[in-house]
């Protein structure tokens, strides 16, 4: 018998460990490579230029670092939201409120981050009474995070204890939080943040924040009880309940973490733009869901990973950047974005049917 | 509250067998309605330490419903439950398990997308550092304990890192059984544990049950297999249309007799109102 040695087999069955199942993230990674290759080819065909590489004569690097920087900077803020959406979807839920939470948080946090004097004159856009300006950076950050905790707790309690479908509960929050964002300053933008606050979104900092949070939540989902229970509930909620997992409490926790991540995105975004507007973050929830689904997270719950979502975010960024590079109209971008979301879901359904037929 | 006998009001369950230890679980008037469906009606049930009791009855008789009430998977409509000398009203399955009730549910309660060790330790993961919900999982420890636990069931699983969704019905059932067999308990409940198992695996599971008997651990076994019940249990309680209709000591009955009770051809005098 030339069978390879079993390493995990129980009861005498053999298992060939060298033929490990290919992790689904690898497929997403290949898709990313393929996509870049397609844009590279189209670039040479249509534009006579490279998508990925530097073609200028005075090149200091092989890659077009400017383009790569824009890609990653573009996706990092929505990417932060997608980290939370990933957990919610693995849990078997959905969160439509993240974009509006970005709007509300940006407005509220920004009003705690204003300076008192602009060019020697009193700040014309002052939101809070005098004396509440020039606060240390930590104050608006904490205020912003509290907004996230508050919105997330409401989402979580509604879903866990009143058993409203997550779609409806977070849709309600989506409308309400947007209303809060508009009401807060009666529609006026809020500007002129302190230098400390402005530093959060400066340069490549959003990218570092995204990467740090991605690593943190990758580890949490993989190696902690919280992560295991999130997958278990998404996989089979009744079984999780019967196994003694406190499902309701856990749901509240996941929705709260998702909303906090959205509020962190709001802080970074308003800091980067040096202003907050009531319309900020509109449709971000759909972009975040798209990144998640492209990254292989199953909308029916129980499957997916943070790594997949990060790759999904990169694919998303490459597509947007590629379209700009090919000088396609922004209208086309939106249409194609929609098609990509639907395509990713179809792919997921197909994968599941195939998995089921193997059983 | 130490002596259950002095604390229980109402009538004794008939045929209580005093050759075993003290009462470990007792229900009085246990009732469950699902809307208009009366799935469980006024059940008085008792099991003692060291005793192995079989529950039999036709499909839909209310056997699994009874299990779900005891383990607090569902909230009972009415009735009282005592466990281990204490009146209990568990707030969810976690409390029931922490009190010492280990259960193999008929639906198995496994998470499809998780692998075998994850499922075995679902809801009570081994951890390296305790950080509340963010405690670090001890994958290695769980894996080793899983291999040891699975050996007891005699199951054949090519790769325990495979997810449950890729396993056969019998393999899944063995995982669920290994889950209860790995942990110490005061009472084990198995709802049709061998329904999907092959000959060898069934024999292994029956061995697990015999080991429980030797260790003096009480068991409630729900089964449609008459031979198995006669081999393994001391007493047979028959359910019919949500009610208990017979409570039979093994020595005083035989297969045909039990079938007569299950089908409704006979009803014990004590349960005449159930007919
Ligand atoms: N969640 C529920 N809602 C409504 N009716 C239910 C529910 N669960 C069970 N029932 C009904 O209660 C009755 C008892 O069901 P139960 O599952 O206890 O049967 P059982 O004795 O375990 O049968 P089987 O041998 O087939 O497992 C059935 O008529 C069933 O249809
Ligand atoms: Mg049943």
């Amino acid at each position: 018998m030339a069978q390879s040695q079993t390493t995990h087999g129980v009861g005498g069955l053999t298992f060939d460990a060298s033929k490990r199942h290919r992790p689904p993230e690898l497929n997403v990674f290949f898709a990313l490579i393929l996509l870049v290759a397609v844009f590279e080819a189209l670039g040479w065909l249509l534009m006579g230029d490279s998508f990925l590489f530097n073609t200028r004569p005075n090149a200091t690097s092989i890659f077009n670092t400017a383009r790569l920087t824009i890609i990653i900077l573009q996706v990092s803020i929505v990417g932060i939201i997608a980290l939370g959406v990933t957990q919610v979807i693995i849990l078997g839920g959905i969160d439509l409120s993240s974009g509006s939470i970005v709007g509300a948080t940006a407005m509220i946090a920004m009003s705690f981050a204003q300076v008192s004097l602009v060019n020697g004159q009193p700040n014309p856009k002052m939101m809070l009474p005098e004396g509440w300006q020039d606060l240390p950076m930590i104050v608006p950050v904490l205020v912003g995070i509290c907004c996230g905790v508050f919105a997330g707790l409401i989402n979580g309690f509604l879903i866990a204890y009143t058993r409203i479908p997550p779609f409806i509960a977070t849709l309600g929050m989506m409308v309400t939080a947007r209303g809060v964002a508009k009401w807060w300053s009666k529609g006026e933008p809020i500007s002129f943040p302190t230098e400390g606050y402005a530093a959060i979104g400066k340069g490549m900092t959003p990218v570092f924040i995204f990467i740090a949070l991605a690593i943190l939540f990758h580890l949490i989902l993989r190696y902690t009880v919280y992560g295991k229970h999130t997958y278990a509930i998404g996989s089979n909620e009744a079984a999780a309940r019967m196994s003694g997992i406190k499902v309701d409490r856990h749901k509240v926790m996941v929705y709260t973490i998702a909303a906090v991540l959205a509020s962190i995105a709001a802080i970074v975004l308003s800091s980067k733009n040096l202003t907050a507007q009531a319309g900020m973050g509109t449709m971000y929830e759909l972009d975040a869901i798209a990144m998640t689904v492209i990254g292989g997270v199953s909308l029916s719950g129980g499957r997916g990973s943070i790594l997949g979502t990060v790759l999904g975010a990169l694919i998303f960024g490459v597509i947007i950047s590629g379209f700009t590079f090919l000088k396609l109209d922004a209208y086309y971008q939106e249409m194609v974005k929609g098609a990509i979301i639907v395509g990713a879901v179809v792919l997921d359904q197909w994968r599941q049917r195939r998995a089921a037929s193997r059983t | 509250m130490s002596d259950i006998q002095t604390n229980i009001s109402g009538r004794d369950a008939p045929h209580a067998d005093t050759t075993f230890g003290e009462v470990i679980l007792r229900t009085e008037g246990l009732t469950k309605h699902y809307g208009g469906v009366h799935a469980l009606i006024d059940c008085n049930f008792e099991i003692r330490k060291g005793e192995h009791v079989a529950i039999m009855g036709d499909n839909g008789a209310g056997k699994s419903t009874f299990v779900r009430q005891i383990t607090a998977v569902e909230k009972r409509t009415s009735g009282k439950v005592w466990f281990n000398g204490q009146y209990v009203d568990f707030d969810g399955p976690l409390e029931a398990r922490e009190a010492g009730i280990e259960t193999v549910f008929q639906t198995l309660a496994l998470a499809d997308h998780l692998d075998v060790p994850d499922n075995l330790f679902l809801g009570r993961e081994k951890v390296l550092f305790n950080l509340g919900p963010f405690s670090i999982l001890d994958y290695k420890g769980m894996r080793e304990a899983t291999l040891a636990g699975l050996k007891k069931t005699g199951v054949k699983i090519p790769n325990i890192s495979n997810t449950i969704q890729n396993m056969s019905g019998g393999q899944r059932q063995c995982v669920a059984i290994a889950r209860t067999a790995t942990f110490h308990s005061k009472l084990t409940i198995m709802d049709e544990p061998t329904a999907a198992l092959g000959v060898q695996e069934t024999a292994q599971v029956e061995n697990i049950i015999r080991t429980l008997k030797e260790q003096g651990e009480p068991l409630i076994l729900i089964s449609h297999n008459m031979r198995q019940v006669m081999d393994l249990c001391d007493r047979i309680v028959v359910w019919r249309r949500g009610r208990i209709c017979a409570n039979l000591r093994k020595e005083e009955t035989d297969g045909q007799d039990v079938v007569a009770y299950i089908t409704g051809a006979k009803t014990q005098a004590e349960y005449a109102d159930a007919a």
Side-chain angles (χ1 to χ4, degrees):
Chain A
M1 282 289 230
Q3 241 161 349
S4 59
Q5 198 58 44
T6 168
T7 50
H8 314 291
V10 173
L13 287 198
T14 45
F15 162 66
D16 187 353
S18 64
K19 291 206 172 133
R20 290 305 286 262
H21 208 68
R22 192 167 47 168
E25 288 83 4
L26 210 56
N27 291 335
V28 183
F29 182 67
F30 288 146
L32 177 62
I33 303 279
L34 186 71
L35 200 62
V36 172
V38 167
F39 278 123
E40 184 68 34
L42 284 177
W44 285 113
L45 273 174
L46 304 174
M47 317 295 295
D49 195 5
S50 169
F51 175 66
L52 187 61
F53 301 101
N54 207 335
T55 46
R56 297 219 178 79
N58 55 347
T60 49
S61 67
I62 350 171
F63 292 110
N64 189 336
T65 37
R67 175 147 27 241
L68 293 179
T69 309
I70 290 173
I71 291 178
I72 191 157
L73 200 57
Q74 229 170 16
V75 298
S76 58
I77 288 172
V78 182
I80 294 172
I81 302 173
L83 298 178
V85 170
T86 302
Q87 300 174 50
V88 168
I89 293 182
I90 290 174
L91 185 77
I94 192 87
D95 189 351
L96 299 177
S97 65
S98 19
S100 297
I101 291 176
V102 167
T105 305
M107 297 298 279
I108 296 172
M110 190 56 134
S111 48
F112 285 86
Q114 288 183 297
V115 290
S116 54
L117 296 176
V118 180
N119 298 329
Q121 303 292 316
N123 188 340
K125 299 255 183 239
M126 211 185 282
M127 256 306 288
L128 299 179
E130 231 162 305
W132 287 85
Q133 285 71 36
D134 299 317
L135 299 168
M137 178 254 266
I138 189 75
V139 176
V141 169
L142 284 181
V143 167
I145 287 174
C146 286
C147 294
V149 170
F150 184 68
L153 284 176
I154 294 177
N155 276 344
F157 273 99
L158 279 177
I159 290 157
Y161 295 102
T162 69
R163 305 281 158 95
I164 299 175
F167 181 86
I168 302 298
T170 58
L171 186 73
M173 178 57 74
M174 169 179 163
V175 177
T176 308
R178 186 62 68 195
V180 169
K182 290 177 183 158
W183 158 81
W184 183 255
S185 69
K186 310 290 178 288
E188 287 287 307
I190 306 177
S191 315
F192 304 117
T194 58
E195 261 178 47
Y197 190 76
I200 301 171
K202 218 177 222 154
M204 292 298 274
T205 321
V207 177
F208 297 130
I209 294 175
F210 172 50
I211 292 173
L213 287 170
I215 292 173
L216 176 70
F217 281 101
H218 173 77
L219 295 176
I220 285 179
L221 278 193
R222 253 248 158 106
Y223 296 106
T224 72
V225 172
Y226 167 89
K228 200 54 73 191
H229 289 182
T230 306
Y231 282 96
I233 293 170
S235 179
N236 185 341
E237 189 173 327
R241 219 176 272 276
M242 283 168 151
S243 305
I245 295 175
K246 294 198 168 122
V247 173
D248 297 331
R249 209 186 63 181
H250 195 85
K251 282 186 177 173
V252 174
M253 204 151 47
V254 173
Y255 280 96
T256 306
I257 286 178
V260 165
L261 282 164
S263 68
I264 292 175
I267 293 166
V268 176
L269 180 64
S270 59
S271 159
K272 179 170 171 251
N273 292 0
L274 301 174
T275 180
Q277 285 158 7
M280 252 180 177
T282 305
M283 300 285 263
Y284 277 19
E285 62 279 340
L286 293 185
D287 288 355
I289 292 170
M291 289 177 182
T292 308
V293 173
I294 293 169
V297 181
S298 166
L299 275 177
S300 45
R303 270 179 317 121
S305 70
I306 293 285
L307 180 60
T309 295
V310 171
L311 291 169
L314 288 177
I315 289 185
F316 199 83
V318 165
I319 290 173
I320 303 285
S321 161
F323 277 29
T324 317
F325 165 64
L326 296 176
K327 301 212 164 27
L328 277 175
D329 236 354
Y331 306 119
Y332 293 120
Q333 293 187 14
E334 295 216 341
M335 292 183 214
V336 169
K337 235 196 272 183
I340 290 166
I341 298 175
V342 175
V345 175
V346 169
L347 195 68
D348 172 54
Q349 302 270 322
W350 176 74
R351 267 194 308 237
Q352 268 179 22
R353 263 203 303 278
R354 211 180 49 157
S357 66
R358 262 191 283 131
T359 311
Chain B
M1 289 290 272
S2 60
D3 186 5
I4 190 167
Q5 297 302 329
T6 59
N7 276 297
I8 295 175
S9 58
R11 56 183 164 144
D12 248 3
H15 288 257
D17 193 331
T18 41
T19 56
F20 292 99
E22 44 189 292
V23 174
I24 183 82
L25 176 89
R26 182 188 162 102
T27 71
E28 199 184 289
L30 194 60
T31 300
K32 177 69 185 178
H33 297 171
Y34 298 105
V37 181
H38 295 196
L40 204 63
I41 306 159
D42 195 24
C43 292
N44 301 310
F45 178 89
E46 178 180 286
I47 178 169
R48 288 162 182 274
K49 285 189 178 155
E51 194 180 16
H52 280 197
V53 177
I55 292 181
M56 299 193 85
D58 264 338
N59 297 125
K63 308 179 295 293
S64 301
T65 305
F66 179 67
V67 172
R68 287 195 295 269
Q69 310 316 308
I70 297 174
T71 51
V73 170
E74 292 167 355
K75 266 228 148 338
R76 55 191 189 242
T77 306
S78 65
K80 296 173 183 155
V81 179
W82 288 265
F83 180 69
N84 204 23
Q86 303 236 310
Y87 177 82
V88 291
D89 192 2
F90 297 126
D91 182 22
L94 182 63
E95 277 188 16
R97 194 167 68 192
E98 278 168 352
I101 303 179
E102 283 291 335
T103 313
V104 180
F105 291 100
Q106 190 171 15
T107 54
L108 302 182
L110 300 173
D112 277 353
H113 302 304
L114 299 186
D115 67 9
V116 179
D118 287 348
N119 267 292
L120 224 69
F121 287 89
L122 200 59
R124 54 182 142 185
E125 292 77 7
K126 275 184 190 235
V127 296
L128 291 174
F129 309 103
N130 197 338
L131 304 167
F134 298 103
S135 300
I136 312 294
L137 293 164
D138 176 12
Y139 275 113
K140 191 156 166 281
M142 290 196 278
R143 184 177 196 90
E144 279 160 9
T146 301
L147 288 170
L150 285 175
K151 278 222 176 73
K152 291 196 217 166
T153 68
V155 65
K156 300 180 188 67
I157 295 177
N159 177 11
I160 64 167
S161 304
N162 262 347
T163 52
I164 293 293
Q165 63 178 348
N166 295 327
M167 292 191 183
S168 78
Q171 288 169 335
R172 291 175 201 212
Q173 206 150 27
C174 284
V175 172
I177 292 165
R179 176 155 70 172
T180 62
T182 307
F183 300 92
H184 280 286
S185 64
K186 298 198 179 83
L187 171 66
T188 306
I189 303 174
M190 295 190 182
D191 195 347
E192 305 192 21
T194 59
L197 297 192
V199 180
Q200 270 186 333
E201 288 80 3
T202 302
Q204 288 277 5
V205 171
E206 288 175 356
N207 277 336
I208 295 179
I209 293 175
R210 287 195 188 90
T211 316
L212 287 177
K213 183 82 191 164
E214 281 158 22
Q215 293 166 347
E217 284 191 33
L219 169 83
I220 297 175
L221 174 69
I222 297 176
S223 174
H224 292 290
N225 183 335
M226 190 66 71
R227 181 215 39 91
Q228 186 175 59
V229 165
M230 286 297 180
D231 274 2
L232 297 171
C233 295
D234 309 303
R235 196 150 59 83
I236 299 165
V237 178
V238 182
W239 246 262
R240 197 167 68 226
R241 286 191 236 124
R243 293 175 198 266
I244 298 178
C245 69
N247 187 344
L248 310 155
R249 287 247 289 275
K250 186 171 73 181
E251 310 85 62
E252 295 167 354
T253 186
D254 58 45
Q256 273 183 348
D257 193 36
V258 176
V259 170
Y261 284 110
I262 293 174
T263 57
K266 273 168 85 178
T267 302
Q268 272 184 331
E270 297 91 322
Y271 299 101
D273 56 333

